[in-house]
Amino acid sequence: MKKVYANATEALDGILRDGMLIAAGGFGLCGIPELLLQAIKESGVKDLTFASNNAGVDDFGIGILLQTRQVKKMISSYVGENAEFMRQYLSGELELEFTPQGTLAERMRAGGAGIPGFYTKTGVGTVISEGKEHKEFNGETYILEEGIFADLAIVKAWKADATGNLVFRKTARNFNVPAATCGKICVAEVEEIVPRGSLDPDCIHLPGIYVHRVIQGQHEKRIEQRTTRKKEEA
């Protein structure tokens, strides 16, 4: 089965359609599938729902799809760094399903494991719990959260082999692993594709069974908020 594709456009060919639910890895601008997001923008598909920790910034990450009005709904835990995201939400142009960060990761993981739902205490007594089933366990109230079963998962990794085994670099692993597992189809972009058998099995973070297509590319790796200090005087 061919898994390695020449570029993001080729890797997404035959997959994209209007109204899809897409799970996207990344945290802020760390480990985001920037090449695949650009290809989605260029494809022109619309009415998309994204399950992602956040939407990047105004001109990078999912933010580029908000600018072109291709996103109908966000399932996210954080919106603070994207002014256009906040503007569209507050003006009623964008649907938003606020989900606590740990709950979002678990909803993705649950979908990847075939679990339709689970109970959690997180969000009980807040707007998060409105409209959700409540149940008591050992005298404590929990709410039912549904697993995320995405039509497509897009992730960014450090290395891959031809079979789709992935290795992430440090904190760039973040939401990429659970996002990858919950998609019916998973497309990964990586910095390097190495020969089959060259990855240490103990260092593989995501087995290739979850990954259907892989591309290699150059990445900008933009820093969301650059913080520096003055050089100390001698």
Side-chain angles (χ1 to χ4, degrees):
M1 177 182 177
K2 175 187 175 182
K3 289 192 175 183
V4 178
Y5 287 73
N7 54 57
T9 300
E10 183 180 317
L12 293 171
D13 183 47
I15 298 176
L16 297 176
R17 57 175 172 78
D18 292 347
M20 293 186 81
L21 169 55
I22 301 176
F27 186 100
L29 300 184
C30 178
I32 64 172
E34 59 194 74
L35 304 178
L36 293 166
L37 288 169
Q38 182 64 37
I40 292 173
K41 174 186 175 182
E42 294 171 356
S43 75
V45 290
K46 58 185 185 299
D47 296 328
L48 301 174
T49 296
F50 270 91
S52 174
N53 176 63
N54 59 76
V57 293
D58 290 328
D59 61 346
F60 202 63
I62 298 174
I64 63 175
L65 295 166
L66 291 174
Q67 289 179 334
T68 54
R69 305 296 194 277
Q70 290 171 260
V71 180
K72 178 182 70 174
K73 179 179 179 180
M74 290 293 304
I75 304 173
S76 295
S77 61
Y78 181 63
V79 303
E81 299 299 327
N82 193 313
E84 180 61 17
F85 188 169
M86 291 188 287
R87 189 199 67 75
Q88 288 189 25
Y89 168 61
L90 293 173
S91 66
E93 301 172 38
L94 178 72
E95 297 178 45
L96 175 60
E97 184 178 332
F98 263 130
T99 304
Q101 189 162 278
T103 301
L104 178 60
E106 183 62 12
R107 289 181 66 190
M108 290 180 175
R109 191 204 68 81
I115 298 171
F118 59 91
Y119 289 96
T120 177
K121 290 178 67 176
T122 305
V124 172
T126 73
V127 294
I128 299 297
S129 67
E130 293 178 1
K132 295 178 181 177
E133 179 187 332
H134 289 60
K135 191 175 181 68
E136 283 198 5
F137 294 90
N138 299 317
E140 298 284 348
T141 301
Y142 293 73
I143 56 175
L144 178 65
E145 294 282 0
E146 296 184 0
I148 292 175
F149 296 83
D151 300 304
L152 169 66
I154 54 173
V155 299
K156 158 73 167 55
W158 179 35
K159 291 182 180 181
D161 63 16
T163 65
N165 292 313
L166 300 184
V167 177
F168 298 91
R169 182 159 174 77
K170 302 184 184 299
T171 58
R173 193 186 316 185
N174 50 56
F175 275 80
N176 276 299
V177 173
T181 64
C182 75
K184 295 177 183 177
I185 299 174
C186 174
V187 182
E189 60 182 70
V190 302
E191 297 176 38
E192 182 182 3
I193 297 177
V194 299
R196 184 178 305 179
S198 65
L199 294 176
D200 181 346
D202 287 334
C203 294
I204 293 172
H205 298 135
L206 185 71
I209 189 70
Y210 290 105
V211 181
H212 302 84
R213 300 182 181 187
V214 178
I215 63 163
Q216 179 177 324
Q218 298 295 317
H219 297 86
E220 183 177 343
K221 296 185 181 180
R222 190 182 302 189
I223 297 174
E224 191 169 356
Q225 291 189 17
R226 187 183 300 273
T227 303
T228 60
R229 64 179 180 181
K230 293 182 179 179
K231 185 177 180 180
E232 295 180 3
E233 295 182 4

